């Protein structure tokens, strides 16, 4: 059965009659969906009569025998839940009516099971009592197994009777007046008239009627906390008519009784992430989800086996460990109900639960002072066995920066001009690949007049190098906290003795360190000043003053190389430091002096703000590496030896292979291989290099080049060459700068001789004097050793055509046609007399001689 009814929820609002006095905390009349009106006995509650499951007509009577065969949530449901990995004791698979014994079985907040029948109808209580108890245990199983999904323990706190060392749900046998089953309201009024009005009870009623499937009352109030009206402020009722009793024993079924009881526990709120406006959910599969007309299309989010359990993904109405900061964490959660053992404060046989999915909470210290850092913290909730894989912080404001953007705790700083609220977002990924994104507002405190301190870190004076660039650095601090201020404009001016007024040097904005840096030059003594203007947060600051006095700077230089031996052209790093008054941006010459005294430039390096420099050079000769600074108006000369470098020539490695070792003369063979540089055992590809293919004749003599190729990015090459020489095939790479030649023998190859066959015909056997005749034919070739099974055309062969007159012993050559690509030939001749014409192929390299049968042509 695909789905068992769903019950309650949202019907219509109830206006409480004046005769009923509500406490100040009583809920206001609720806005409910369509449905039957409720009795005044349930102030502010809603109802929704649910659809029956497919194939079930709740108006049809059901026999006692059929009902006793229904097992509720027992063995089949146990198997389905086990397939989902939900832990449960083995005994839960048995068809046992046992439920948890708790206290005296009566005191406290409990579910009271009831059999309700109208007067005048057959009372089947005695026959069905074992089934009622079994179905109650099935409801308890749903509650507990659903709690296990999030690592917790929950049990239904039934009113119980002892049963031989265990407990069973106490089921009351209640008879109501005729007509009391006509509607849910009538049933509630009837049982209330009998005194069943205790707010500490959820009344779970098996009503022996054929009117509807299931219905229950719920207060549409999502307020978090134990004061929620669904948590014992009023008595609540669930009704299941006989046609829908005892379902839930299967993967795609759920217990109607569990569905209706959950409504009385306060689910599902329409404001839940997947709630409908009629009190259910739309993210299947789930005991509480179905298309109830509540305005949402159903979506299959969880597997069908999840139908037996509460709350697909544990995020709408039932979780012992809701994702911190989530909707369910901050709204009413049925798993917190004090009608459940383990609910309320989590005690009494319960457990607080553990994360089943990755969760996280975010905390940002608000409000932040614009320009100053404020703390942001991410607290992960990790399922068992998982660890944090990565964290990424970002803000909706581009000017906000994070001190530790990949850590759980960081500081965020936005510009001093920030005023409008923004957001901070953290993306958490765990070791399973799951991600969680959480966002927090970031607000700013403005309207103050915080004093700031503006200063030059170098002090009030600085020696600089004449005409050379130097970094003018100013810093702004929040006076009260001592923190650097980010995003505050600093007005810089400069003035020499010859200037009548200061000139602007720029107005940069402070970094997160509170600093501004401008590159300046000075040829004469110059006074620099820095100040900030008043804004919405900070008072005006400054001015600070610094006098820069130029002169030729004394220098010293230190340098070193990262290795003393390198292969030809391999990178060598030269590092060092220039010490001067202001060493930034100074160009240094790096060179190598050979043993013969030749000076080879390796490049130039530029110093950083701390005077350090680095250059990667690729030396091709051995020698002493040095670094030099030439004398100038700005700097005194300096030099340093970095070290002696020995450059070693690498070797060349070449390999080759040929696809065939024997072919007929002139046939192609494919030669492949690889060319690599060997630098002390470290191999690298030699790309774009020519490789030649040679054959050394078997009988001796100089090797013959038969073709070649070029290496690709991996150093591999392919050469398709015609083989016309027998002997030893080899591949060779010529020498290049820093790379010696290399050659490798591939192996013996044979260019075999073709066996030829020649045919010839004449266009006529007799011609008139002065007439012509056309000779034609073909030449074919075979080479058995090459595996040829049929002759092929022999092209490009020069033939010889001879004529011998009748009665003569002498032959005369009259033509030398060449065979076409198809192996054919033609020759037009002008016979002067009768005689014999012969076409022949003389023996040539790679081909045997052949001769066609003579052709006799007469003169008629």
């Amino acid at each position: 059965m695909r789905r068992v009814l769903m019950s309650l929820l949202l019907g219509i609002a109830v206006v409480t009659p004046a005769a009923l006095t509500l406490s100040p905390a009583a809920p206001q009349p609720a806005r409910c969906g369509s449905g039957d009106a409720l009795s005044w006995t349930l102030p502010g509650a809603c109802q929704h009569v649910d659809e029956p499951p497919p194939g079930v007509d709740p108006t049809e009577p059901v026999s006692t025998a059929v009902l006793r065969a229904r097992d509720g949530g027992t063995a089949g449901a146990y198997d389905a839940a086990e397939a989902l990995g939900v832990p449960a004791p083995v005994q839960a698979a048995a068809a046992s009516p046992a439920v948890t014994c708790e206290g005296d079985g009566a005191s406290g907040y409990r579910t009271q099971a009831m059999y309700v029948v109208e007067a005048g109808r057959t009372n089947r209580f005695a026959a069905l009592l074992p089934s009622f108890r079994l179905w109650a245990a099935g409801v308890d199983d749903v509650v507990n197994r659903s709690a296990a999904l999030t690592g917790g323990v929950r049990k239904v706190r039934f009113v119980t009777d002892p049963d031989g060392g265990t407990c069973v749900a106490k089921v009351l046998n209640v008879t109501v007046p005729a007509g009391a089953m006509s509607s849910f309201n009538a049933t509630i009024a009837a049982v209330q008239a009998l005194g069943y009005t205790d707010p500490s009870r959820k009344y779970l009623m098996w009503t022996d009627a054929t009117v509807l499937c299931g219905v229950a009352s719920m207060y549409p109030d999502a307020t978090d906390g134990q004061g929620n009206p669904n948590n014992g402020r009023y008595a609540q009722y669930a009704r299941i008519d006989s046609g829908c009793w005892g379902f839930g024993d299967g993967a795609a079924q759920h217990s109607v009784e569990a569905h209706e009881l959950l409504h009385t526990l306060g689910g599902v709120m329409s404001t839940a992430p997947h709630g409908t406006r009629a009190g259910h959910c739309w993210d299947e599969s789930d005991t509480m989800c179905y298309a109830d007309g509540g305005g949402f299309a159903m979506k299959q989010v969880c597997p069908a086996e999840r139908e037996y359990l509460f709350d697909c993904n544990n995020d709408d109405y039932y979780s012992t460990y809701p994702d911190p900061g989530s909707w369910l964490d901050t709204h009413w959660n049925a798993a917190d109900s004090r009608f459940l053992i383990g609910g309320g404060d989590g005690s009494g046989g319960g457990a607080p639960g553990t994360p089943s999915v990755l969760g996280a909470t975010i905390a940002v210290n608000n409000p932040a002072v614009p320009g100053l850092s404020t703390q942001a913290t991410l607290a992960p909730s990790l399922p068992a066995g998982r660890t944090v894989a990565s964290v990424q912080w970002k803000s909706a404001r581009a000017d906000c920066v994070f001190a530790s953007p990949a850590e759980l705790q960081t500081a965020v700083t936005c510009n001093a001009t920030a005023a409008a609220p923004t957001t901070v977002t953290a993306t958490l990924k765990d070791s399973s690949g799951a991600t969680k994104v959480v966002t927090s507002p970031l607000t700013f405190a403005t309207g103050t007049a915080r004093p700031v301190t503006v200063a030059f870190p170098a002090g009030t004076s600085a020696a600089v190098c004449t005409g050379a660039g130097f970094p003018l650095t100013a810093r702004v601090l929040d006076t009260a906290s001592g923190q650097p201020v980010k995003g505050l404009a600093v007005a810089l001016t400069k003035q020499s003795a010859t200037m009548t007024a200061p000139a602007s040097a720029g107005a940069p904005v402070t970094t997160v360190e509170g600093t501004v840096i401008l590159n300046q030059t000075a040829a004469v003594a110059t006074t620099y000043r820095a100040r900030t203007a008043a804004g919405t947060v900070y008072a005006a600051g400054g001015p600070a003053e610094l006098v820069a006095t130029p002169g030729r700077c004394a220098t010293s230089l230190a340098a070193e190389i990262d290795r003393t031996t390198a292969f030809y052209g391999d990178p060598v790093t030269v590092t060092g430091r220039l010490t001067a008054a202001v060493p930034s941006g100074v160009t240094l010459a790096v060179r190598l002096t050979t043993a013969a005294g030749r000076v080879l430039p390796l490049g130039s390096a530029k110093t950083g703000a701390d005077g350090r420099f680095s250059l990667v050079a690729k030396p091709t000769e051995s020698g002493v590496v040095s670094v030099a600074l030439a004398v100038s108006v700005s700097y005194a000369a300096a030099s340093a030896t970095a070290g002696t470098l020995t450059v070693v020539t690498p070797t060349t490695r070449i390999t080759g292979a040929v696809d065939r070792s024997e072919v007929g003369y002139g046939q192609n063979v494919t030669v492949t291989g690889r060319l690599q540089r060997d630098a002390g055992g470290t191999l690298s590809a030699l790309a774009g290099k020519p490789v030649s293919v040679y054959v050394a004749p078997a009988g001796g003599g100089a090797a013959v080049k038969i073709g070649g190729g070029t290496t690709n990015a991996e150093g591999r090459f392919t050469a398709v060459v015609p083989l016309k020489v027998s002997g030893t095939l080899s591949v060779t790479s010529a020498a290049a700068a820093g790379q010696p030649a290399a050659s490798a023998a591939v192996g013996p190859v044979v260019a075999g001789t073709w066996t030829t066959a020649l045919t010839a015909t004449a266009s006529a056997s007799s011609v008139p004097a002065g007439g012509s005749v056309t000779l034609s034919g073909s030449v074919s070739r075979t080479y058995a050793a090459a595996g040829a099974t049929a002759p092929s055309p022999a092209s490009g062969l020069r033939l010889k055509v001879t004529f011998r007159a009748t009665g003569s012993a002498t032959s005369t050559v009259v033509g030398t046609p060449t065979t076409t690509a198809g192996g054919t030939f033609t020759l037009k001749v002008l016979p002067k007399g009768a005689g014999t014409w012969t076409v022949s192929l003389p023996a040539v390299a790679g081909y045997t001689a052949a001769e066609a049968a003579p052709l006799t042509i007469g003169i008629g």
Side-chain angles (χ1 to χ4, degrees), residues 90 105 145 161 236 265 284 392 486 494 606 624 770 847:
V90 173
R145 212 182 304 276
D161 284 329
Q236 286 176 266
L265 296 176
E284 286 281 28
Q392 182 181 8
K486 177 183 182 294
K494 59 185 177 181
K606 185 166 287 190
V624 177
Y847 292 88

Side-chain angles (χ1 to χ4, degrees), residues 456-462 526-528 544-549:
F456 290 104
T460 58
S461 63
T526 303
T527 299
Y528 292 90
E545 188 172 289
L546 177 144
V547 177
T549 304

Side-chain angles (χ1 to χ4, degrees), residues 564-570 572 592 619-623 645-649:
T564 58
T565 301
F567 283 93
Y568 182 99
D570 277 358
V572 174
L592 181 144
T620 58
E621 293 192 46
S622 300
L645 177 69
T646 301
V647 173
V648 180
T649 301

Side-chain angles (χ1 to χ4, degrees), residues 407-786:
E407 302 295 333
L408 292 173
Q409 184 169 311
T410 186
V412 57
T413 310
C414 305
N415 278 356
T417 55
T422 186
T423 57
V424 169
T425 299
T427 301
L428 174 69
K429 179 182 286 188
D430 70 15
S431 52
S432 75
T435 59
K436 180 67 177 180
V437 180
V438 288
T439 299
S440 169
L442 175 59
T443 60
F444 301 100
T446 59
T448 59
R450 300 178 68 92
V452 294
T453 302
V454 183
F456 290 104
T460 58
S461 63
V464 299
C465 306
T466 304
F470 67 92
L472 178 66
T473 304
R475 194 175 195 202
V476 180
L477 300 179
D478 175 64
T479 304
S481 66
Q483 286 193 58
V485 179
K486 177 183 182 294
L488 198 61
V490 179
L492 296 171
T493 62
K494 59 185 177 181
Q495 187 174 15
S496 67
T498 60
M499 298 171 64
T500 58
S504 173
V509 174
T510 55
T511 65
V512 70
E513 291 82 17
T515 60
V516 293
I517 302 175
L518 282 180
N519 196 49
Q520 297 289 302
T521 60
V524 297
T526 303
T527 299
Y528 292 90
R529 296 181 178 88
R531 70 180 71 221
T532 62
T536 58
V537 178
Y538 297 98
E545 188 172 289
L546 177 144
V547 177
T549 304
R552 176 179 287 174
C553 293
T555 60
S556 64
L557 193 58
E560 63 181 358
I561 51 178
D562 66 340
R563 64 195 66 190
T564 58
T565 301
F567 283 93
Y568 182 99
D570 277 358
V572 174
T573 303
V574 185
T575 58
R577 187 173 188 178
L578 173 69
T579 303
V582 185
S584 176
V586 179
T587 300
L588 305 172
V590 182
R591 53 178 69 107
L592 181 144
T593 304
T594 69
R598 290 186 301 117
V599 177
L600 307 177
L602 296 180
S604 60
K606 185 166 287 190
T607 58
D610 60 356
R612 298 186 185 276
F613 64 89
S614 178
L615 174 71
V616 177
K618 296 184 177 182
T620 58
E621 293 192 46
S622 300
V624 177
V625 179
S626 60
V627 182
L629 170 65
V631 66
S632 66
V633 296
S634 303
Y635 303 102
S639 64
T641 298
T644 300
L645 177 69
T646 301
V647 173
V648 180
T649 301
T651 59
T652 305
R653 178 181 293 190
I654 189 169
T655 59
V658 64
D659 65 336
R660 294 185 288 177
S661 62
E662 184 175 354
V663 295
Y665 180 90
Q667 279 191 304
N668 288 338
V669 294
T670 301
V671 181
T672 57
R674 192 172 191 182
L675 185 65
Q676 293 174 294
R677 178 179 185 263
D678 186 348
T682 300
L683 300 179
S684 58
L686 290 172
K689 304 297 182 182
V691 174
S692 299
V693 181
Y694 287 86
V695 175
V704 178
K705 181 178 178 179
I706 63 172
T710 302
T711 58
N712 62 14
E714 297 178 342
R716 300 184 185 279
F717 63 88
T718 299
V720 179
V721 294
L723 186 62
K724 296 181 179 181
V725 181
S726 296
T728 301
L729 187 142
S730 63
V731 288
T732 299
S733 170
Q739 197 66 50
S743 182
V746 176
V749 292
V750 175
T753 301
W754 295 93
T755 299
T756 58
L758 176 60
T759 64
T761 60
S763 60
S765 59
S766 177
V767 296
S772 66
V773 66
T774 300
L775 305 180
S776 61
S778 65
V779 181
S780 62
R781 64 182 186 179
T782 56
Y783 184 63

